[in-house]
Amino acid sequence: MSKIFFIADTHFGDEKIIKYENRPFGNAREMDEELIQRWNAVVAREDEVYVLGDFGADGYEEEVLAKLQGRKYLVKGNHDTKSNAEYRQWGFDEVYDHPVIIENFWILSHDALYVNTNMPYANLFGHVHNHPMVKDYSSQHYCVSVERLNYMPLDFEVIKEKIREVS
């Protein structure tokens, strides 16, 4: 049975992100190889992975995507500036310019969206990386930036369980 995973802010190929976010890698090549290895350690070919923005790999997206297991969907972030057609050509199954709602409850976005207890939604997002002002999760949100997920996609069932625990 296939699974659904989430991840954001991979920034493949971005040397600067290592310094900005204190990532534990010596250079972008080392980071990319480790991200690919960790992705493929948890994601199977038949699984689905939603990348909630800032995929990266400027100039070698197709090469990186070919190495990543699963069917991949991109909800574009502020660093995802190519056309949707290009991202599809390189290997994303679908690309979205705006937030997406799945299972009539989960809003998938790059930036955190405002949700409150009077709203029938929870928001999965990235963008904030490891910023200390944002909790990893609450009853209505979950941040899936790679720095919070040990640099690998997170199983949707784990997200659902964590949110149930705090609800």
Side-chain angles (χ1 to χ4, degrees):
M1 186 170 167
S2 66
K3 295 180 177 183
I4 298 173
F5 291 87
F6 292 91
I7 194 166
D9 306 307
T10 49
H11 288 272
F12 284 103
D14 187 348
E15 292 283 344
K16 294 177 186 171
I17 202 70
I18 296 167
K19 179 181 175 192
Y20 293 158
E21 296 301 329
N22 297 312
R23 290 186 178 184
F25 307 107
N27 57 56
R29 178 162 300 286
E30 178 187 323
M31 177 180 73
D32 293 355
E33 289 173 5
E34 188 65 23
L35 288 172
I36 291 166
Q37 186 276 323
R38 290 184 190 201
W39 178 303
N40 291 335
V42 296
V43 176
R45 186 169 310 284
E46 68 276 4
D47 293 337
E48 296 180 329
V49 182
Y50 286 88
V51 177
L52 302 186
D54 293 357
F55 178 72
D58 192 29
Y60 67 110
E61 291 88 349
E62 191 167 18
E63 178 185 328
V64 171
L65 284 163
K67 293 178 181 178
L68 297 172
Q69 299 242 92
R71 295 178 51 212
K72 296 163 283 291
Y73 305 93
L74 175 63
V75 177
K76 289 170 83 172
N78 53 302
H79 290 276
D80 302 312
T81 58
K82 305 290 192 290
S83 74
N84 293 4
E86 285 176 285
Y87 286 114
R88 283 189 209 96
Q89 176 185 333
W90 292 326
F92 278 103
D93 289 86
E94 191 52 81
V95 181
Y96 306 95
D97 290 313
H98 305 289
V100 175
I101 299 175
I102 63 170
E103 296 184 4
N104 296 314
F105 181 73
W106 306 95
I107 304 172
L108 313 181
S109 61
H110 179 59
D111 295 305
L113 301 176
Y114 175 73
V115 290
N116 66 46
T117 55
N118 296 317
M119 302 168 97
Y121 300 106
N123 181 213
L124 307 182
F125 61 90
H127 188 62
V128 296
H129 293 265
N130 217 11
H131 195 288
M133 298 253 327
V134 178
K135 291 181 183 179
D136 289 348
Y137 60 91
S138 73
S139 63
Q140 288 189 277
H141 89 272
Y142 207 112
C143 180
V144 296
S145 291
V146 295
E147 294 86 3
R148 296 169 189 252
L149 308 180
N150 198 27
Y151 303 94
M152 63 179 59
L154 183 62
D155 188 322
F156 195 20
E157 293 306 314
V158 172
I159 292 170
K160 290 176 181 179
E161 181 59 31
K162 291 285 189 186
I163 286 181
R164 272 193 297 270
E165 287 173 6
V166 295
S167 294

Short mmCIF file of all heavy atoms in Angstrom, two decimals, residues 50-92:
data_model
loop_
_atom_site.label_atom_id
_atom_site.label_comp_id
_atom_site.label_asym_id
_atom_site.label_seq_id
_atom_site.Cartn_x
_atom_site.Cartn_y
_atom_site.Cartn_z
N TYR A 50 4.67 15.26 -1.47
CA TYR A 50 4.35 16.66 -1.72
C TYR A 50 5.53 17.51 -1.23
O TYR A 50 5.87 17.47 -0.05
CB TYR A 50 3.08 17.08 -0.97
CG TYR A 50 1.82 16.54 -1.59
CD1 TYR A 50 1.33 15.29 -1.23
CD2 TYR A 50 1.12 17.28 -2.54
CE1 TYR A 50 0.17 14.79 -1.79
CE2 TYR A 50 -0.04 16.79 -3.11
CZ TYR A 50 -0.51 15.55 -2.73
OH TYR A 50 -1.66 15.06 -3.29
N VAL A 51 6.13 18.24 -2.16
CA VAL A 51 7.20 19.18 -1.83
C VAL A 51 6.53 20.53 -1.68
O VAL A 51 6.00 21.08 -2.65
CB VAL A 51 8.27 19.22 -2.93
CG1 VAL A 51 9.34 20.26 -2.58
CG2 VAL A 51 8.89 17.84 -3.14
N LEU A 52 6.52 21.07 -0.45
CA LEU A 52 5.81 22.32 -0.18
C LEU A 52 6.75 23.51 -0.35
O LEU A 52 6.95 24.30 0.55
CB LEU A 52 5.16 22.27 1.20
CG LEU A 52 4.17 21.12 1.39
CD1 LEU A 52 3.46 21.24 2.74
CD2 LEU A 52 3.17 21.02 0.26
N GLY A 53 7.30 23.60 -1.52
CA GLY A 53 8.07 24.76 -1.93
C GLY A 53 9.56 24.68 -1.71
O GLY A 53 10.08 23.91 -0.92
N ASP A 54 10.24 25.51 -2.51
CA ASP A 54 11.69 25.70 -2.47
C ASP A 54 12.46 24.41 -2.69
O ASP A 54 13.34 24.04 -1.92
CB ASP A 54 12.11 26.40 -1.18
CG ASP A 54 11.61 27.85 -1.13
OD1 ASP A 54 10.99 28.30 -2.11
OD2 ASP A 54 11.84 28.51 -0.11
N PHE A 55 12.13 23.75 -3.79
CA PHE A 55 12.80 22.51 -4.18
C PHE A 55 14.28 22.75 -4.48
O PHE A 55 15.15 22.05 -4.00
CB PHE A 55 12.11 21.89 -5.39
CG PHE A 55 12.76 20.64 -5.87
CD1 PHE A 55 12.65 19.47 -5.15
CD2 PHE A 55 13.50 20.62 -7.06
CE1 PHE A 55 13.26 18.30 -5.59
CE2 PHE A 55 14.11 19.46 -7.50
CZ PHE A 55 13.98 18.30 -6.77
N GLY A 56 14.57 23.75 -5.29
CA GLY A 56 15.96 24.07 -5.62
C GLY A 56 16.44 23.35 -6.86
O GLY A 56 15.69 23.08 -7.78
N ALA A 57 17.74 23.03 -6.89
CA ALA A 57 18.40 22.31 -7.98
C ALA A 57 18.45 23.12 -9.26
O ALA A 57 18.35 22.57 -10.35
CB ALA A 57 17.74 20.95 -8.22
N ASP A 58 18.64 24.41 -9.16
CA ASP A 58 18.64 25.28 -10.32
C ASP A 58 19.63 24.79 -11.38
O ASP A 58 20.83 24.79 -11.17
CB ASP A 58 18.99 26.72 -9.90
CG ASP A 58 18.74 27.72 -11.01
OD1 ASP A 58 17.83 27.46 -11.84
OD2 ASP A 58 19.43 28.74 -11.05
N GLY A 59 19.09 24.35 -12.48
CA GLY A 59 19.91 23.88 -13.59
C GLY A 59 20.07 22.37 -13.65
O GLY A 59 20.45 21.83 -14.68
N TYR A 60 19.74 21.67 -12.57
CA TYR A 60 19.83 20.21 -12.65
C TYR A 60 18.65 19.53 -11.94
O TYR A 60 18.75 18.45 -11.36
CB TYR A 60 21.19 19.71 -12.15
CG TYR A 60 21.50 19.88 -10.69
CD1 TYR A 60 21.56 18.78 -9.85
CD2 TYR A 60 21.76 21.14 -10.14
CE1 TYR A 60 21.86 18.91 -8.51
CE2 TYR A 60 22.06 21.28 -8.81
CZ TYR A 60 22.11 20.17 -8.00
OH TYR A 60 22.40 20.30 -6.66
N GLU A 61 17.47 20.16 -12.05
CA GLU A 61 16.25 19.61 -11.46
C GLU A 61 15.95 18.20 -11.97
O GLU A 61 15.61 17.30 -11.19
CB GLU A 61 15.04 20.51 -11.77
CG GLU A 61 15.05 21.84 -11.06
CD GLU A 61 15.78 22.94 -11.83
OE1 GLU A 61 16.47 22.65 -12.82
OE2 GLU A 61 15.66 24.11 -11.42
N GLU A 62 16.08 18.02 -13.28
CA GLU A 62 15.76 16.72 -13.87
C GLU A 62 16.66 15.62 -13.30
O GLU A 62 16.19 14.51 -13.00
CB GLU A 62 15.90 16.80 -15.39
CG GLU A 62 15.34 15.60 -16.11
CD GLU A 62 15.21 15.84 -17.61
OE1 GLU A 62 15.83 16.78 -18.15
OE2 GLU A 62 14.46 15.07 -18.24
N GLU A 63 17.92 15.92 -13.13
CA GLU A 63 18.87 14.95 -12.58
C GLU A 63 18.49 14.57 -11.15
O GLU A 63 18.49 13.39 -10.78
CB GLU A 63 20.28 15.56 -12.61
CG GLU A 63 21.35 14.68 -12.03
CD GLU A 63 22.70 15.37 -11.99
OE1 GLU A 63 22.99 16.20 -12.86
OE2 GLU A 63 23.46 15.08 -11.04
N VAL A 64 18.18 15.56 -10.33
CA VAL A 64 17.81 15.29 -8.93
C VAL A 64 16.49 14.53 -8.88
O VAL A 64 16.38 13.51 -8.18
CB VAL A 64 17.72 16.60 -8.11
CG1 VAL A 64 17.12 16.34 -6.73
CG2 VAL A 64 19.09 17.24 -7.98
N LEU A 65 15.49 14.99 -9.62
CA LEU A 65 14.18 14.34 -9.58
C LEU A 65 14.25 12.88 -10.02
O LEU A 65 13.55 12.03 -9.49
CB LEU A 65 13.17 15.12 -10.43
CG LEU A 65 12.67 16.40 -9.77
CD1 LEU A 65 12.04 17.33 -10.79
CD2 LEU A 65 11.70 16.09 -8.65
N ALA A 66 15.12 12.58 -10.99
CA ALA A 66 15.26 11.21 -11.47
C ALA A 66 15.81 10.28 -10.38
O ALA A 66 15.56 9.08 -10.39
CB ALA A 66 16.18 11.18 -12.69
N LYS A 67 16.52 10.84 -9.42
CA LYS A 67 17.11 10.04 -8.34
C LYS A 67 16.16 9.86 -7.16
O LYS A 67 16.41 9.02 -6.29
CB LYS A 67 18.40 10.71 -7.83
CG LYS A 67 19.51 10.71 -8.86
CD LYS A 67 20.72 11.44 -8.32
CE LYS A 67 21.84 11.48 -9.35
NZ LYS A 67 23.00 12.23 -8.85
N LEU A 68 15.09 10.64 -7.11
CA LEU A 68 14.17 10.60 -5.97
C LEU A 68 13.00 9.66 -6.24
O LEU A 68 12.32 9.78 -7.25
CB LEU A 68 13.63 12.01 -5.69
CG LEU A 68 14.66 13.05 -5.27
CD1 LEU A 68 14.02 14.44 -5.22
CD2 LEU A 68 15.31 12.69 -3.94
N GLN A 69 12.78 8.74 -5.30
CA GLN A 69 11.67 7.79 -5.43
C GLN A 69 10.32 8.49 -5.27
O GLN A 69 10.24 9.55 -4.65
CB GLN A 69 11.80 6.72 -4.34
CG GLN A 69 13.07 5.93 -4.43
CD GLN A 69 12.78 4.48 -4.67
OE1 GLN A 69 12.73 4.05 -5.81
NE2 GLN A 69 12.61 3.75 -3.59
N GLY A 70 9.27 7.85 -5.77
CA GLY A 70 7.90 8.29 -5.56
C GLY A 70 7.39 9.20 -6.65
O GLY A 70 8.12 9.68 -7.50
N ARG A 71 6.07 9.40 -6.60
CA ARG A 71 5.41 10.37 -7.45
C ARG A 71 5.49 11.70 -6.72
O ARG A 71 5.13 11.79 -5.55
CB ARG A 71 3.96 9.95 -7.69
CG ARG A 71 3.89 8.64 -8.49
CD ARG A 71 2.49 8.14 -8.72
NE ARG A 71 1.65 9.20 -9.27
CZ ARG A 71 0.35 9.31 -9.02
NH1 ARG A 71 -0.26 8.45 -8.23
NH2 ARG A 71 -0.34 10.29 -9.55
N LYS A 72 5.96 12.72 -7.41
CA LYS A 72 6.28 13.99 -6.74
C LYS A 72 5.37 15.12 -7.20
O LYS A 72 5.12 15.28 -8.39
CB LYS A 72 7.75 14.32 -7.01
CG LYS A 72 8.69 13.27 -6.39
CD LYS A 72 10.09 13.31 -6.92
CE LYS A 72 10.28 12.70 -8.27
NZ LYS A 72 10.14 11.27 -8.39
N TYR A 73 4.91 15.90 -6.22
CA TYR A 73 4.03 17.04 -6.46
C TYR A 73 4.69 18.27 -5.83
O TYR A 73 5.18 18.19 -4.71
CB TYR A 73 2.66 16.82 -5.82
CG TYR A 73 2.02 15.54 -6.28
CD1 TYR A 73 2.17 14.37 -5.54
CD2 TYR A 73 1.28 15.48 -7.45
CE1 TYR A 73 1.61 13.18 -5.96
CE2 TYR A 73 0.70 14.29 -7.87
CZ TYR A 73 0.87 13.15 -7.13
OH TYR A 73 0.31 11.97 -7.55
N LEU A 74 4.66 19.38 -6.55
CA LEU A 74 5.28 20.60 -6.06
C LEU A 74 4.23 21.68 -5.85
O LEU A 74 3.52 22.05 -6.79
CB LEU A 74 6.33 21.12 -7.06
CG LEU A 74 6.99 22.46 -6.74
CD1 LEU A 74 7.79 22.38 -5.43
CD2 LEU A 74 7.89 22.90 -7.90
N VAL A 75 4.13 22.17 -4.62
CA VAL A 75 3.39 23.39 -4.32
C VAL A 75 4.46 24.47 -4.29
O VAL A 75 5.31 24.48 -3.40
CB VAL A 75 2.63 23.30 -2.97
CG1 VAL A 75 1.94 24.62 -2.67
CG2 VAL A 75 1.62 22.15 -3.00
N LYS A 76 4.46 25.33 -5.29
CA LYS A 76 5.58 26.25 -5.50
C LYS A 76 5.79 27.20 -4.33
O LYS A 76 4.84 27.70 -3.73
CB LYS A 76 5.37 27.03 -6.79
CG LYS A 76 5.55 26.15 -8.02
CD LYS A 76 5.12 26.82 -9.30
CE LYS A 76 6.18 27.71 -9.86
NZ LYS A 76 5.79 28.21 -11.22
N GLY A 77 7.08 27.43 -4.06
CA GLY A 77 7.49 28.39 -3.04
C GLY A 77 8.13 29.60 -3.69
O GLY A 77 8.22 29.69 -4.91
N ASN A 78 8.62 30.49 -2.87
CA ASN A 78 9.19 31.74 -3.39
C ASN A 78 10.46 31.54 -4.20
O ASN A 78 10.84 32.40 -4.98
CB ASN A 78 9.43 32.74 -2.25
CG ASN A 78 10.25 32.17 -1.12
OD1 ASN A 78 9.88 31.16 -0.53
ND2 ASN A 78 11.36 32.80 -0.80
N HIS A 79 11.14 30.40 -4.07
CA HIS A 79 12.34 30.13 -4.86
C HIS A 79 12.06 29.25 -6.08
O HIS A 79 12.99 28.95 -6.83
CB HIS A 79 13.42 29.48 -3.99
CG HIS A 79 14.01 30.41 -2.99
ND1 HIS A 79 15.03 31.29 -3.29
CD2 HIS A 79 13.72 30.61 -1.68
CE1 HIS A 79 15.35 31.98 -2.21
NE2 HIS A 79 14.56 31.59 -1.22
N ASP A 80 10.83 28.83 -6.26
CA ASP A 80 10.47 27.97 -7.40
C ASP A 80 9.95 28.86 -8.53
O ASP A 80 8.75 29.11 -8.64
CB ASP A 80 9.42 26.94 -6.98
CG ASP A 80 9.92 26.07 -5.84
OD1 ASP A 80 11.05 25.56 -5.94
OD2 ASP A 80 9.18 25.91 -4.85
N THR A 81 10.86 29.33 -9.36
CA THR A 81 10.54 30.39 -10.32
C THR A 81 10.37 29.91 -11.77
O THR A 81 10.04 30.70 -12.63
CB THR A 81 11.63 31.47 -10.29
OG1 THR A 81 12.90 30.86 -10.59
CG2 THR A 81 11.70 32.13 -8.91
N LYS A 82 10.60 28.64 -12.01
CA LYS A 82 10.44 28.11 -13.37
C LYS A 82 8.95 27.92 -13.67
O LYS A 82 8.11 27.92 -12.77
CB LYS A 82 11.18 26.78 -13.52
CG LYS A 82 12.64 26.83 -13.16
CD LYS A 82 13.44 27.63 -14.16
CE LYS A 82 14.92 27.48 -14.02
NZ LYS A 82 15.57 28.03 -12.90
N SER A 83 8.64 27.69 -14.94
CA SER A 83 7.24 27.46 -15.31
C SER A 83 6.79 26.09 -14.83
O SER A 83 7.60 25.17 -14.66
CB SER A 83 7.07 27.55 -16.84
OG SER A 83 7.60 26.38 -17.45
N ASN A 84 5.49 25.95 -14.65
CA ASN A 84 4.94 24.67 -14.22
C ASN A 84 5.25 23.58 -15.24
O ASN A 84 5.53 22.44 -14.88
CB ASN A 84 3.44 24.79 -14.00
CG ASN A 84 3.10 25.67 -12.82
OD1 ASN A 84 3.99 26.26 -12.20
ND2 ASN A 84 1.83 25.79 -12.52
N ALA A 85 5.21 23.94 -16.52
CA ALA A 85 5.52 22.98 -17.59
C ALA A 85 6.96 22.46 -17.46
O ALA A 85 7.21 21.26 -17.64
CB ALA A 85 5.31 23.62 -18.95
N GLU A 86 7.90 23.35 -17.12
CA GLU A 86 9.28 22.91 -16.94
C GLU A 86 9.41 21.94 -15.78
O GLU A 86 10.05 20.89 -15.91
CB GLU A 86 10.20 24.12 -16.70
CG GLU A 86 10.47 24.93 -17.95
CD GLU A 86 11.31 26.16 -17.65
OE1 GLU A 86 10.75 27.13 -17.09
OE2 GLU A 86 12.52 26.13 -17.97
N TYR A 87 8.78 22.26 -14.66
CA TYR A 87 8.85 21.35 -13.51
C TYR A 87 8.23 19.99 -13.85
O TYR A 87 8.76 18.95 -13.45
CB TYR A 87 8.17 21.96 -12.28
CG TYR A 87 8.98 23.06 -11.63
CD1 TYR A 87 8.52 24.37 -11.62
CD2 TYR A 87 10.20 22.79 -11.02
CE1 TYR A 87 9.26 25.39 -11.01
CE2 TYR A 87 10.94 23.80 -10.41
CZ TYR A 87 10.47 25.09 -10.42
OH TYR A 87 11.20 26.08 -9.82
N ARG A 88 7.12 19.98 -14.60
CA ARG A 88 6.51 18.71 -15.01
C ARG A 88 7.44 17.95 -15.96
O ARG A 88 7.59 16.74 -15.84
CB ARG A 88 5.16 18.96 -15.68
CG ARG A 88 4.05 19.27 -14.70
CD ARG A 88 2.69 19.29 -15.41
NE ARG A 88 1.81 20.21 -14.74
CZ ARG A 88 1.60 21.48 -15.10
NH1 ARG A 88 2.18 21.97 -16.17
NH2 ARG A 88 0.79 22.24 -14.40
N GLN A 89 8.04 18.66 -16.88
CA GLN A 89 8.96 18.04 -17.84
C GLN A 89 10.13 17.38 -17.11
O GLN A 89 10.60 16.31 -17.50
CB GLN A 89 9.47 19.10 -18.81
CG GLN A 89 10.51 18.60 -19.80
CD GLN A 89 11.06 19.74 -20.65
OE1 GLN A 89 10.42 20.73 -20.88
NE2 GLN A 89 12.29 19.57 -21.09
N TRP A 90 10.60 17.99 -16.04
CA TRP A 90 11.74 17.47 -15.30
C TRP A 90 11.39 16.30 -14.39
O TRP A 90 12.29 15.60 -13.92
CB TRP A 90 12.37 18.59 -14.47
CG TRP A 90 13.02 19.63 -15.32
CD1 TRP A 90 13.67 19.45 -16.51
CD2 TRP A 90 13.10 21.02 -15.04
NE1 TRP A 90 14.13 20.64 -16.98
CE2 TRP A 90 13.80 21.63 -16.09
CE3 TRP A 90 12.64 21.82 -13.99
CZ2 TRP A 90 14.06 22.99 -16.13
CZ3 TRP A 90 12.90 23.17 -14.04
CH2 TRP A 90 13.60 23.74 -15.09
N GLY A 91 10.09 16.11 -14.08
CA GLY A 91 9.75 14.94 -13.28
C GLY A 91 8.70 15.11 -12.21
O GLY A 91 8.32 14.13 -11.56
N PHE A 92 8.21 16.32 -11.98
CA PHE A 92 7.10 16.45 -11.04
C PHE A 92 5.83 15.99 -11.73
O PHE A 92 5.58 16.32 -12.89
CB PHE A 92 6.94 17.90 -10.56
CG PHE A 92 7.87 18.28 -9.45
CD1 PHE A 92 9.00 19.05 -9.71
CD2 PHE A 92 7.64 17.84 -8.15
CE1 PHE A 92 9.88 19.39 -8.68
CE2 PHE A 92 8.51 18.18 -7.13
CZ PHE A 92 9.62 18.95 -7.39
#
